[in-house]
Amino acid sequence: MGVIGWIVFGLIVGVVGKLLMPGKDPGGFLATVAIGIIGALFGGMLGRMVGMYGQDDPVGFVMAVIGAILFLWLYRAITRRGDT
């Protein structure tokens, strides 16, 4: 998959992660989706590195969503600490 494909895939996974983790985020929707893209790339890469699945296996989508949700959770935790 090329760079454009990864960006589109990450965008889709970022939106899915945001839908699965509703709530107000400090950076707004675009920042949240960007964090989701980073998490999707990280989760997908990590899953392939540890041998959980191959490059074109559909389970990669699930791992990418898990990565996106994890990064969104971390983003919220870090930005909330600065507010108090």
Side-chain angles (χ1 to χ4, degrees), residues 33-53:
V33 171
I35 296 291
I37 290 170
I38 294 167
L41 291 173
F42 179 76
M45 192 170 45
L46 181 66
R48 281 192 308 279
M49 284 174 46
V50 297
M52 292 175 64
Y53 54 87

Side-chain angles (χ1 to χ4, degrees), residues 2-84:
V3 174
I4 300 295
W6 274 109
I7 291 171
V8 170
F9 177 72
L11 177 68
I12 292 168
V13 170
V15 169
V16 170
K18 173 64 179 161
L19 291 174
L20 292 174
M21 216 178 146
K24 189 172 182 174
D25 293 313
F29 183 76
L30 290 178
T32 304
V33 171
I35 296 291
I37 290 170
I38 294 167
L41 291 173
F42 179 76
M45 192 170 45
L46 181 66
R48 281 192 308 279
M49 284 174 46
V50 297
M52 292 175 64
Y53 54 87
Q55 184 170 347
D56 293 325
D57 288 344
V59 74
F61 182 80
V62 174
M63 189 64 179
V65 170
I66 291 170
I69 290 172
L70 176 66
F71 269 69
L72 289 171
W73 177 79
L74 286 172
Y75 174 64
R76 287 180 183 176
I78 290 169
T79 55
R80 285 197 183 123
R81 269 193 207 148
D83 291 340
T84 59

